[in-house]
Amino acid sequence: GENVEQHPSTLSVQEGDSAVIKCTYSDSASNYFPWYKQELGKGPQLIIDIRSNVGEKKDQRIAVTLNKTAKHFSLHITETQPEDSAVYFCAASKGLTGGGNKLTFGTGTQLKVEL
Amino acid sequence: GAGVSQSPSNKVTEKGKDVELRCDPISGHTALYWYRQSLGQGLEFLIYFQGNSAPDKSGLPSDRFSAERTGGSVSTLTIQRTQQEDSAVYLCASSLTGTGMSEQYFGPGTRLTVT
């Protein structure tokens, strides 16, 4: 089955700096890659996603890149703010080819944005 | 509008007891997922319901775990003869459909502690 690895497990940055979180996946059939933000005591919330026929996607301060050949994808947050502090999870699925969009998650990155 | 709701928010039970966890998905969402989040781990897929189709139970860790979805809406996850290793946060998610890039909306989870 699919295996998703995520690094780093913790990341501390100064406010205004950029943060990068990286994930690798094992199943070349995976075609959908969402990123979730989870705040303490809450369920994960989708912040951005990318499908396998796209190499990069951007939404304001957040961007995701995908390298299908190397089977890795990354989350980039620019101009970080204290409210960006949370746990971020990457995930992968074969949802675009049917059979349900069950997600395989990475182990999470605790991002701390310091003032 | 109302999001995904789960009850109870916390459950403490003794080893060997049965527990039932409830999920109320967003109205109109045809797909429903259960995930488990253990301490310091990512989210682990358990089971997936799509409309009236047979559920995908491929993620259930043992036959002590079962789930049902009545009337295509509310779902109940049942754990029989609970063990300490069952302690985790159980998250439910729903999406408009089970295919493509249909976003999964997560509930706040049920924190289960088995003593």
Side-chain angles (χ1 to χ4, degrees), chain A:
Chain A
E2 174 67 282
N3 181 52
V4 177
E5 295 190 355
Q6 182 172 348
H7 301 280
S9 57
T10 61
L11 179 59
S12 184
V13 300
Q14 294 293 315
E15 182 179 9
D17 288 349
S18 295
V20 180
I21 302 171
K22 299 182 179 182
C23 290
T24 60
Y25 61 99
S26 61
D27 190 342
S28 57
S30 289
N31 50 33
Y32 174 59
F33 307 92
W35 286 88
Y36 285 83
K37 175 183 181 182
Q38 186 175 27
E39 297 176 329
L40 197 62
K42 297 183 179 180
Q45 180 178 16
L46 180 72
I47 56 171
I48 194 167
D49 53 21
I50 191 168
R51 61 174 70 196
S52 57
N53 61 350
V54 175
E56 183 174 359
K57 184 177 178 181
K58 188 174 182 180
D59 183 4
Q60 299 183 348
R61 298 187 296 109
I62 296 173
V64 58
T65 59
L66 171 65
N67 183 325
K68 283 172 48 181
T69 302
K71 289 188 285 188
H72 67 69
F73 55 114
S74 301
L75 177 71
H76 304 252
I77 305 174
T78 58
E79 301 171 24
T80 53
Q81 301 168 4
E83 52 265 36
D84 294 330
S85 296
V87 179
Y88 291 81
F89 291 96
C90 62
S93 83
K94 291 178 271 193
L96 296 181
T97 46
N101 201 14
K102 53 188 178 184
L103 299 169
T104 300
F105 284 85
T107 50
T109 296
Q110 175 74 61
L111 173 64
K112 182 177 181 181
V113 180
E114 298 177 334
L115 298 173

Side-chain angles (χ1 to χ4, degrees), chain B residues 14 22 36-37 41 52-53 55 59 64 70 79 81 109 115:
Chain B
E14 292 179 352
R22 177 187 169 103
R36 178 170 70 175
Q37 185 171 27
Q41 299 295 313
N52 295 320
S53 301
R64 296 186 295 105
T70 55
I79 309 173
R81 305 181 302 282
T115 62

Side-chain angles (χ1 to χ4, degrees), chain B residues 10-93:
Chain B
N10 282 283
K11 177 71 175 179
V12 180
T13 190
E14 292 179 352
K15 177 182 173 181
K17 299 282 189 181
D18 298 351
V19 295
E20 285 189 353
L21 312 180
R22 177 187 169 103
C23 172
D24 284 85
I26 294 173
S27 178
H29 280 195
T30 64
L32 187 147
Y33 305 80
W34 282 97
Y35 295 89
R36 178 170 70 175
Q37 185 171 27
S38 303
L39 186 63
Q41 299 295 313
L43 287 81
E44 171 192 18
F45 166 77
L46 297 177
I47 188 169
Y48 156 67
F49 295 89
Q50 171 61 54
N52 295 320
S53 301
D56 178 344
K57 305 178 182 179
S58 60
L60 294 179
S62 78
D63 58 8
R64 296 186 295 105
F65 288 71
S66 63
E68 63 178 20
R69 188 180 185 191
T70 55
S73 181
V74 172
S75 178
T76 303
L77 177 69
T78 301
I79 309 173
Q80 296 179 310
R81 305 181 302 282
T82 52
Q83 303 296 312
Q84 288 188 330
E85 59 262 29
D86 299 335
S87 296
V89 176
Y90 290 82
L91 289 156
C92 173

